[in-house]
Amino acid sequence: MSTSSGDELHDQYKDLFTQDGVLLKTSVGRPVSDFNSIGMLCIVQNADGTKCIEWRPNDLITIDSDTQDQEWAVVNTVGRRQRTLSGNITSDYANLRARIIKIPLDDLKTFRITRNNQQMQFSTKPGVWQNTFYFQHGNAEIFVAYLKNHLKTAKTRHDRNTYMVVEPNDESQVLNKSFAELDIFTENTTDVVWNLVSNFKQRPYETTLEAFSKLTDIVYYGNEDVNGKRDVSEEVADLLTKSMSALEDTTSVTRSDEYEVISVKPTLPPRPCIPRGSPLSTEKWDALQDADGRIVEVEGVKQLIFRGGVAHSIRSTVWKYLLDYFPWKMTHAELKTLQKRKTEEYFSMKLQWRSVTEGQENRFSEYRDRKSLVEKDVNRTDRTHPFFAGDNNPHLAVLQDILMTYVMYNFDLGYVQGMSDILAPLLLLLGNEVDSFWCFVGFMEKIASNFDMDQAGMKHQLLQLQQLLMFASPELAQHLSQKDSGNMYFCFRWLLVWFKREFSHIDIMRLWEVLWTGLPCANFHLLICVAILDAEKEVIISRDYGFTEILKHVNDLSMTLDVDRVLSSAEGIYHQIVSAPHLTDQIRIVLGIEPLNLSMSTNSDPEPSTSTLPSTKPSQVELKEGNGNTIFGQEMDEDVVVYNGLRITIVTKTVWALLA
């Protein structure tokens, strides 16, 4: 292990990846006072080209006020938790760098992931775990996926959660070094070599293979001079350029002074157009309950809701289940008992803050600040809607009471700007103060990371959105990056309040209930963002929109979006992505799919999760109409159907009977 205490500070370095909210648990040779400190774990490239893992405590990190405040000022938070922010290294960095932990990748021997993938340990010599870190927000999967871009690793036989760093053999070292010297590739040469070698059999373009073969000759045998037997530079150049016109749309070109290398651009399969279904009706809802009121087929209900939403006549009931207020398996009698208990609990918490005297409030600054922020936000929430319009509106008073009671329910989080936007549609639909509160609690459980004091949850989602957009629409992602919009900050509002200000009240209800099902994958709300942006791709690129124009254009989309079209497009993009032969582990992790080369399970023999992995059972029934649409037979017993060549997980024939 190497720490910064004995190293000179590099004048230049580049952060390749950073992750906020990482706790230092233990570190050999460090004082106990450093333990349990929050910081940022990074993968860094030094000025000399070497790379290392670096942990920086938060008190050495500051924010550039001119940029950070503008980027994140959308959220104003009041709470008891200490802010943890990422940014530029302060001028005191040189004096305090001894607290920074550095682990050179060249020295790293093994690393291990434990405790539900949230704890990560590193070792630079056998038998000793020098550093242990705990990931407070999410887990270590994304960090490990990025780390493996810079290391060749293999799992140990005795522990599937421990990875050894594999030393490259002499041949691969020569190959990597030669590509670096030729300066052919702009990306990491190790990644290029491994990817090219592993994908040889899958590449259909013989010209590319032949060109790479010629380059290999140069790497191993050198480019012989005039007195030698041959000079292949012109031959290689001809090989690399002769198919340029034919492959222009499906290839990318990387140039050096003498050579051009053409690599095939991976393309996505055709995007299916999957029509939306009809809403879950009263008749279908009743048919999925037993005589006592239990929901007998929960996944079936969720499938129906995902396909078409919920009929407004039963929406107030169904939402209580979707938001975990009502357990699916409770009878009607048990639900009445639950409601009575929850009502008593709510008013008990409400009485706590209502009984605070004026004198107590004057001496309780945190409570006073939260109350002031709630009052300010409530008075400007959905005031144009008739339900909240006008002076002395009683519904505003209920809205405020619920938010203040939530402050008592969740002291750590308290109130954060934007929560009133989340609550307003719930109160509008349910009308009842108690029911609205508990549904709000359930909703906040799903999106609590949106309101983290350090905004790490939002930053993480924006990073995942950037990754998805790069995979699904690389041309648009590249344009955004060139226009200083690659950080996706213009989508902040979309994610913070789950598109509440982009759709009408009736449409946001439909969108929310679809997202609450958790189908068809994790983070489907990010694919909603991708679908909206992809629909605007032609306008943004053809008009060469810059940062300001992109921000204005995105804001102008508010209240102009078709929710059914967006949902259909997002689902099509999902199936398009998961059917891609070049689907990466990074994207698999974002979508909640088991990665192929990264087992993060704590079990020795992990089993795939049926809720996130597509079924591999073949469909028994597949009939085609003349227009190419699929007709599903009445005797279907499988839980997978085929739609335009794509395998789509459904539930059972009971649900299909209701869909018919």
Side-chain angles (χ1 to χ4, degrees):
M1 181 189 71
S2 174
T3 64
S4 58
S5 57
D7 299 334
E8 290 299 324
L9 184 66
H10 291 299
D11 293 332
Q12 297 178 352
Y13 65 90
K14 178 181 179 182
D15 285 343
L16 304 178
F17 179 77
T18 63
Q19 183 151 345
D20 296 320
V22 179
L23 180 82
L24 173 64
K25 294 192 66 177
T26 61
S27 181
V28 174
R30 305 305 291 263
V32 177
S33 58
D34 283 355
F35 297 169
N36 297 319
S37 299
I38 305 295
M40 181 168 61
L41 196 62
C42 315
I43 300 174
V44 176
Q45 179 171 307
N46 299 315
D48 59 1
T50 61
K51 299 174 185 177
C52 68
I53 297 168
E54 185 171 294
W55 179 84
R56 306 166 189 158
N58 277 341
D59 54 4
L60 301 183
I61 301 172
T62 186
I63 300 297
D64 186 323
S65 59
D66 292 336
T67 58
Q68 187 76 13
D69 290 347
Q70 295 174 9
E71 291 166 350
W72 299 100
V74 180
V75 176
N76 181 17
T77 59
V78 177
R80 298 177 59 187
R81 293 177 295 169
Q82 181 181 358
R83 282 185 177 272
T84 57
L85 298 168
S86 60
N88 300 322
I89 306 302
T90 69
S91 59
D92 295 332
Y93 181 86
N95 296 328
L96 301 175
R97 65 184 186 273
R99 293 191 60 196
I100 295 176
I101 295 174
K102 291 186 179 181
I103 308 171
L105 294 191
D106 290 341
D107 296 343
L108 185 62
K109 303 298 181 184
T110 56
F111 59 89
R112 180 171 64 181
I113 301 95
T114 56
R115 294 190 62 181
N116 295 322
N117 309 330
Q118 288 189 282
Q119 181 169 286
M120 193 169 184
Q121 297 174 289
F122 297 96
S123 174
T124 57
K125 61 182 179 180
V128 180
W129 297 107
Q130 287 100 341
N131 297 286
T132 301
F133 300 100
Y134 185 80
F135 291 73
Q136 292 189 311
H137 306 292
N139 53 43
E141 290 179 348
I142 297 293
F143 184 86
V144 172
Y146 271 91
L147 182 60
K148 292 185 72 175
N149 288 334
H150 306 282
L151 294 171
K152 189 68 178 175
T153 63
K155 300 176 191 174
T156 60
R157 294 182 179 180
H158 65 280
D159 185 356
R160 294 178 62 86
N161 298 313
T162 300
Y163 295 82
M164 295 181 61
V165 178
V166 179
E167 295 291 341
N169 56 37
D170 294 338
E171 184 179 84
S172 64
Q173 285 181 331
V174 171
L175 198 59
N176 294 340
K177 183 175 184 294
S178 300
F179 274 118
E181 291 175 352
L182 286 172
D183 195 25
I184 294 175
F185 300 108
T186 58
E187 57 266 54
N188 183 286
T189 56
T190 303
D191 298 339
V192 173
V193 173
W194 281 106
N195 290 338
L196 285 172
V197 172
S198 64
N199 292 328
F200 264 163
K201 294 181 180 180
Q202 301 173 357
R203 292 181 179 273
Y205 300 97
E206 295 181 1
T207 302
T208 305
L209 291 174
E210 190 175 1
F212 186 77
S213 176
K214 291 293 183 181
L215 286 174
T216 304
D217 287 345
I218 296 174
V219 170
Y220 285 105
Y221 305 112
N223 196 10
E224 299 174 351
D225 58 21
V226 177
N227 296 325
K229 296 180 181 179
R230 60 194 174 103
D231 186 339
V232 298
S233 58
E234 292 184 3
E235 182 182 358
V236 172
D238 289 340
L239 281 169
L240 293 176
T241 58
K242 69 180 182 180
S243 299
M244 179 70 71
S245 58
L247 299 178
E248 184 176 6
D249 292 336
T250 57
T251 59
S252 60
V253 181
T254 305
R255 293 182 173 86
S256 71
D257 292 339
E258 298 183 60
Y259 308 112
E260 290 182 332
V261 176
I262 304 176
S263 60
V264 180
K265 293 180 182 178
T267 57
L268 294 175
R271 183 180 305 173
C273 180
I274 305 178
R276 302 295 300 159
S278 58
L280 174 66
S281 64
T282 303
E283 294 76 20
K284 294 175 183 177
W285 174 249
D286 292 340
L288 290 166
Q289 301 178 46
D290 64 14
D292 295 323
R294 300 181 186 88
I295 309 301
V296 295
E297 194 157 7
V298 177
E299 292 306 313
V301 171
K302 290 182 178 180
Q303 284 284 352
L304 289 169
I305 295 172
F306 175 75
R307 293 251 59 84
V310 181
H312 193 72
S313 58
I314 58 171
R315 185 169 271 152
S316 60
T317 299
V318 177
W319 277 24
K320 295 171 187 174
Y321 289 90
L322 289 173
L323 292 172
D324 300 320
Y325 175 25
F326 283 4
W328 296 93
K329 298 300 182 181
M330 272 195 177
T331 66
H332 288 317
E334 290 170 334
L335 289 176
K336 288 183 179 179
T337 302
L338 174 68
Q339 280 188 295
K340 181 180 179 181
R341 177 168 58 83
K342 289 291 188 180
T343 299
E344 293 173 352
E345 185 177 352
Y346 172 78
F347 283 108
S348 175
M349 290 184 292
K350 183 176 180 179
L351 181 61
Q352 292 174 5
W353 68 268
R354 291 291 294 269
S355 60
V356 173
T357 66
E358 184 178 353
Q360 287 176 309
E361 185 173 327
N362 291 335
R363 295 185 294 272
F364 194 177
S365 60
E366 292 184 23
Y367 171 83
R368 187 173 63 251
D369 292 342
R370 292 181 180 186
K371 182 180 178 182
S372 174
L373 184 57
V374 168
E375 292 174 348
K376 183 186 302 182
D377 281 0
V378 164
N379 286 324
R380 59 191 181 191
T381 299
D382 290 347
R383 296 307 302 275
T384 58
H385 193 283
F387 189 80
F388 296 107
D391 297 332
N392 301 317
N393 189 313
H395 298 135
L396 293 179
V398 176
L399 195 70
Q400 179 173 333
D401 286 355
I402 294 174
L403 293 171
M404 285 301 301
T405 304
Y406 185 79
V407 170
M408 306 306 293
Y409 173 83
N410 191 339
F411 282 106
D412 287 338
L413 181 56
Y415 177 79
V416 181
Q417 185 178 2
M419 289 184 180
S420 60
D421 276 290
I422 297 295
L423 175 59
L426 302 178
L427 182 59
L428 172 63
L429 174 70
L430 301 171
N432 180 279
E433 181 177 348
V434 175
D435 291 343
S436 299
F437 172 81
W438 289 113
C439 285
F440 177 68
V441 168
F443 198 169
M444 287 301 301
E445 287 295 319
K446 297 178 183 293
I447 61 172
S449 64
N450 287 12
F451 301 98
D452 285 338
M453 291 299 174
D454 61 0
Q455 297 168 350
M458 286 295 300
K459 295 177 184 178
H460 185 59
Q461 290 180 76
L462 290 169
L463 173 62
Q464 291 180 321
L465 174 57
Q466 183 186 43
Q467 295 164 355
L468 285 173
L469 188 67
M470 180 61 73
F471 190 86
S473 186
E475 184 181 7
L476 176 59
Q478 184 178 12
H479 178 85
L480 295 177
S481 178
Q482 292 172 348
K483 303 300 181 180
D484 297 326
S485 300
N487 51 29
M488 311 303 292
Y489 289 168
F490 58 88
C491 297
F492 192 100
R493 187 178 71 187
W494 293 0
L495 298 177
L496 180 69
V497 293
W498 267 29
F499 312 97
K500 161 63 166 50
R501 300 186 185 181
E502 318 313 317
F503 293 92
S504 66
H505 273 81
I506 191 64
D507 283 349
I508 199 61
M509 289 181 179
R510 173 72 59 83
L511 178 60
W512 280 359
E513 62 201 13
V514 169
L515 293 176
W516 291 336
T517 66
L519 299 174
C521 62
N523 291 314
F524 187 62
H525 67 294
L526 298 181
L527 291 179
I528 297 291
C529 297
V530 174
I532 296 173
L533 293 174
D534 187 70
E536 303 301 317
K537 177 174 69 175
E538 183 177 352
V539 173
I540 293 174
I541 295 178
S542 64
R543 299 181 183 178
D544 197 28
Y545 280 168
F547 176 83
T548 303
E549 292 85 0
I550 292 170
L551 184 60
K552 182 179 184 301
H553 184 73
V554 168
N555 285 335
D556 289 344
L557 294 176
S558 178
M559 301 301 164
T560 68
L561 301 170
D562 184 323
V563 67
D564 285 328
R565 181 177 298 177
V566 170
L567 283 168
S568 179
S569 177
E571 185 180 3
I573 291 172
Y574 163 72
H575 290 294
Q576 188 181 28
I577 289 175
V578 298
S579 300
H582 60 289
L583 180 62
T584 64
D585 277 352
Q586 183 183 81
I587 300 301
R588 288 175 176 272
I589 290 171
V590 173
L591 299 181
I593 303 173
E594 183 74 17
L596 296 178
N597 302 315
L598 181 63
S599 176
M600 305 298 290
S601 173
T602 56
N603 299 324
S604 58
D605 296 310
E607 295 292 335
S609 170
T610 56
S611 62
T612 57
L613 294 180
S615 172
T616 56
K617 297 179 181 178
S619 174
Q620 303 254 329
V621 179
E622 180 185 358
L623 302 177
K624 294 286 185 180
E625 291 181 323
N627 59 8
N629 292 333
T630 303
I631 308 173
F632 303 106
Q634 296 299 314
E635 298 181 356
M636 180 177 180
D637 292 322
E638 300 296 323
D639 61 351
V640 173
V641 296
V642 176
Y643 183 91
N644 286 349
L646 293 176
R647 300 163 62 80
I648 302 176
T649 304
I650 307 296
V651 273
T652 67
K653 66 180 182 180
T654 302
V655 176
W656 277 113
L658 293 172
L659 281 171

